[in-house]
Amino acid sequence: MLLLLVMTIFFALTHGASKLNFNHLSSSSLNILFNIRLPRILSALVAGASLSASGAFFQAALRNPIAEPGIMGVSSAASLLSIVAGLVLPGLFFGKVVFALIGGLISFTLILLFQKKMDPYQLIIIGVALDAAFTGIQDLFSDNHFTGLNLATSTWESTLYLAVVGTIAIIFVICIMHWANYLKVDDAELSSLGVSAAKLRFTLLLVAVILASITTACIGVIAFIGIIIPQIGRLLLGHDYQKIVPFSLLSGAWFLLFVDTLGRTINPPNEISANVILAIIGGPFMILILLRRRHFA
């Protein structure tokens, strides 16, 4: 996987609307390399790792294989508040990050309230409804330039915010990933062992929301990767989150970079956004997961 990651990074650096040769770099080529492609690649790597780990934690905490921030309304809420920050505090990127976190936490609070009253699959329906509501409100701003965030708009400012906060959160993810294994046990049994399932669930979801919200503030909403990568990890490695989470971090980083690079090199200079490709892959993937669970039920 590391070799594949290095090869993809090299290809992403040298291919696009124009091909670059490291032996003959003009000032224009250097500008493309360092100010356009490099921040975009770094953003894709950190975002892919963050969203994949976030999805794994959502699935562990909610005990649902198709839970992830893009479906549960977290990303759309973060995006909505990020747009509001762009209107209220134009030119202040830190304000967008803070507002995105607030938006993610609002959705997180609503999920926790509904989670106590519903089974995992009913909660997914609530998440989809929240996502639709937040997305609908965003449509009111559809003519505003604040709605155009994606990997193609990555700058060094957004990339540094994502890299610093994302890396700190990922380190924390690695430190607590074993907690996700505890939630495979019934809440009552955990309580009898002196472990609070509610506290474990709260912490995992909070970290997942922070990862998703920061990513959304920097590159916009990216859906489905938080479902695809952890599920592949389960198929290959089993259900141990101490294996699934590291796999998700590394594979998620590679996969989002691969999808973004594919989208911008398949028909240059035209681009297909990573979100479009992930939606094409992710929809059928979700159906396969549900059919597989029904088959083994």
Side-chain angles (χ1 to χ4, degrees):
M1 179 55 73
L2 284 173
L3 179 60
L4 188 61
L5 183 61
V6 171
M7 291 171 60
T8 306
I9 291 171
F10 179 79
F11 185 86
L13 283 170
T14 56
H15 290 72
S18 59
K19 293 184 179 180
L20 301 182
N21 187 334
F22 285 132
N23 295 322
H24 302 91
L25 289 174
S26 64
S27 58
S28 175
S29 297
L30 286 171
N31 179 59
I32 293 171
L33 184 65
F34 288 104
N35 293 320
I36 298 176
R37 291 187 185 169
L38 195 54
R40 182 169 182 167
I41 289 168
L42 291 174
S43 291
L45 292 172
V46 179
S50 299
L51 292 172
S52 297
S54 178
F57 274 9
F58 260 94
Q59 290 149 30
L62 300 180
R63 293 171 177 156
N64 192 311
I66 59 172
E68 67 111 35
I71 287 178
M72 300 304 296
V74 172
S75 296
S76 56
S79 179
L80 173 60
L81 267 290
S82 179
I83 291 170
V84 172
L87 295 170
V88 176
L89 302 168
L92 185 61
F93 190 82
F94 179 71
K96 293 178 66 177
V97 173
V98 172
F99 271 62
L101 275 172
I102 293 171
L105 291 172
I106 290 171
S107 182
F108 168 60
T109 303
L110 293 172
I111 290 170
L112 286 181
L113 290 174
F114 285 112
Q115 191 263 336
K116 299 175 183 177
K117 305 173 183 177
M118 299 186 175
D119 65 46
Y121 284 92
Q122 288 176 323
L123 191 62
I124 287 291
I125 296 172
I126 293 296
V128 171
L130 289 173
D131 181 63
F134 291 129
T135 302
I137 298 171
Q138 278 189 69
D139 287 344
L140 297 174
F141 304 97
S142 59
D143 293 330
N144 194 286
H145 69 276
F146 294 116
T147 60
L149 277 182
N150 54 50
L151 282 166
T153 62
S154 297
T155 64
W156 276 115
E157 183 181 26
S158 65
T159 300
L160 288 174
Y161 270 105
L162 180 58
V164 171
V165 180
T167 300
I168 292 170
I170 286 170
I171 292 171
F172 196 65
V173 163
I174 294 170
C175 292
I176 66 169
M177 62 185 176
H178 63 284
W179 291 8
N181 284 329
Y182 298 152
L183 291 174
K184 292 187 286 186
V185 179
D186 184 76
D187 287 10
E189 189 174 341
L190 282 174
S191 181
S192 69
L193 296 172
V195 178
S196 172
K199 289 181 180 178
L200 292 178
R201 189 171 289 112
F202 177 87
T203 304
L204 292 178
L205 284 174
L206 180 61
V207 173
V209 166
I210 291 171
L211 284 168
S213 299
I214 294 297
T215 301
T216 301
C218 296
I219 64 167
V221 177
I222 302 286
F224 293 109
I225 189 169
I227 297 174
I228 296 170
I229 297 301
Q231 286 299 326
I232 292 174
R234 288 186 185 89
L235 289 172
L236 296 176
L237 304 171
H239 295 271
D240 183 357
Y241 279 93
Q242 289 184 277
K243 295 178 181 178
I244 292 171
V245 172
F247 173 86
S248 296
L249 290 169
L250 187 58
S251 300
W254 170 78
F255 187 62
L256 185 55
L257 177 61
F258 169 76
V259 167
D260 182 56
T261 304
L262 177 66
R264 66 182 180 81
T265 58
I266 195 169
N267 185 31
N270 300 313
E271 291 191 11
I272 304 171
S273 74
N275 220 10
V276 170
I277 297 174
L278 285 168
I280 293 170
I281 299 170
F285 195 87
M286 281 182 62
I287 294 170
L288 287 174
I289 292 170
L290 293 172
L291 288 175
R292 185 173 181 271
R293 284 180 67 84
R294 184 178 178 182
H295 175 74
F296 287 104

